[in-house]
Amino acid sequence: MKPPPFAYCRPSSVQEALTLATQAGEDAKFIAGGQSLMPLLALRMSRPTHLIDINRLPGLDELRQTDDGLHVGALVRHAALERAGRLVGPWRALREAAALIGHYPIRLRGTFGGSTAHADPLAELPVVATALNATFIARSSQGDREIPASDFFAGPLMTVLEPAELLIGARFPVPAQRARSVFEEFSPRAGDFAFASTAVTLTTHDDGRVRSARIALGGVGAVPVRAGEAENVLQGEHLTDGAVREAARRAAAGCDPSHDAHASAAYRRELIATLVERALARLREEP
């Protein structure tokens, strides 16, 4: 199928992009990599009147670490995250998740901002943003708005972004000492959408006891969900086999996945238990 007619715009600045979006109204769409939007256009599941190409906007493709954390621009490509050797320790989940998105040609074009703003319940980066407590930065003609990841995702393919707001990036806060993170998912084949996923970040005391834990789950709800009971059971504990299994059990028991043609709810719970256990085991064994 072919997409419906639309006007195509290529602004040269963020301000010009925002002006075009305001003039075009609610039926305008920003496009960068287009790896999610173009199939929707081809199937006529999305019918924007204007496509605003933001690929050439300066400053939005930067990945930098500053005193207030890690800044990921909206136009940072998945492949750039995958190749970023400095994304280790507290940032490792971000690099690991990016490496599992689709196939390499998709990762060359797909962007951090596109994936998170698209808000697919099976996508990897929203899960990582939730686990790592990211803050999204949206810009409009009224200025910038900061939105915690916990408030950003509103439902399947929905965020709290307003029609004339542009996601310009996200800030991941300065991690505590001895913080580490990992990402795990299961998909039937490399490049397929995952049936379930988890991003886990831990900080530990000098003696190895857990100081804090954040466990986010993907594929088991309309938006990424936190496994609060699993996090609580780890507090103050060493990552013994028993503690890891109990946290994995509680993560699975606390989620409410749906049944579809690909996997039953019970199967997705089993996957969550396995993935959380695997993630915690890696955090225990790997530096």
Side-chain angles (χ1 to χ4, degrees):
M1 296 183 67
K2 295 182 179 180
F6 55 82
Y8 174 78
C9 315
R10 178 176 276 185
S12 57
S13 68
V14 172
Q15 186 55 54
E16 184 183 356
L18 294 174
T19 299
L20 288 169
T22 300
Q23 293 172 347
E26 294 187 1
D27 291 327
K29 289 280 189 182
F30 294 113
I31 184 170
Q35 301 303 287
S36 298
L37 180 58
M38 293 308 295
L40 295 180
L41 291 176
L43 294 171
R44 301 206 171 197
M45 296 174 65
S46 181
R47 294 173 174 266
T49 58
H50 293 71
L51 280 189
I52 303 173
D53 186 341
I54 63 172
N55 272 290
R56 295 190 177 184
L57 301 188
L60 298 190
D61 61 350
E62 296 179 354
L63 176 66
R64 67 186 190 277
Q65 193 169 351
T66 65
D67 290 342
D68 62 345
L70 179 73
H71 290 253
V72 183
L75 294 182
V76 172
R77 308 288 169 177
H78 303 323
L81 292 172
E82 178 184 5
R83 295 192 300 258
R86 56 184 154 158
L87 296 182
V88 296
W91 316 123
R92 179 168 55 176
L94 191 57
R95 177 167 51 85
E96 291 183 344
L100 293 170
I101 298 173
H103 299 284
Y104 191 61
I106 290 173
R107 298 197 293 275
L108 285 173
R109 292 297 302 163
T111 62
F112 174 84
S115 178
T116 50
H118 186 58
D120 192 304
L122 300 178
E124 291 85 355
L125 294 179
V127 181
V128 176
T130 301
L132 271 60
N133 198 27
T135 297
F136 291 100
I137 304 167
R139 183 168 295 174
S140 69
S141 57
Q142 281 72 48
D144 288 357
R145 180 165 69 113
E146 296 191 349
I147 311 163
S150 57
D151 299 329
F152 184 75
F153 304 103
L157 310 183
M158 293 186 293
T159 70
V160 298
L161 289 171
E162 298 294 337
E165 273 189 317
L166 174 64
L167 179 64
I168 62 171
R171 182 179 68 253
F172 293 79
V174 176
Q177 288 188 340
R178 300 180 63 88
R180 293 165 294 149
S181 71
V182 295
F183 181 83
E184 292 281 346
E185 74 173 23
F186 173 80
S187 58
R189 294 169 300 185
D192 285 1
F193 284 107
F195 287 175
S197 64
T198 185
V200 180
T201 180
L202 288 180
T203 60
T204 56
H205 297 282
D206 291 342
D207 64 359
R209 288 181 298 110
V210 175
R211 175 181 291 157
S212 65
R214 293 177 64 91
I215 302 174
L217 310 176
V220 295
V223 299
V225 297
R226 290 273 300 279
E229 289 192 16
E231 295 170 354
N232 292 337
V233 80
L234 292 172
Q235 193 76 29
E237 299 291 332
H238 289 279
L239 290 178
T240 62
D241 289 345
V244 167
R245 284 195 298 268
E246 180 62 16
R249 186 189 69 79
R250 295 202 186 192
C255 67
D256 186 23
S258 61
H259 172 92
D260 59 29
H262 302 290
S264 67
Y267 181 59
R268 281 197 165 92
R269 287 194 190 93
E270 289 293 328
L271 281 178
I272 286 297
T274 298
L275 294 172
V276 170
E277 184 172 350
R278 185 179 299 168
L280 291 171
R282 286 181 57 203
L283 286 166
R284 176 181 60 194
E285 296 163 5
E286 299 177 6

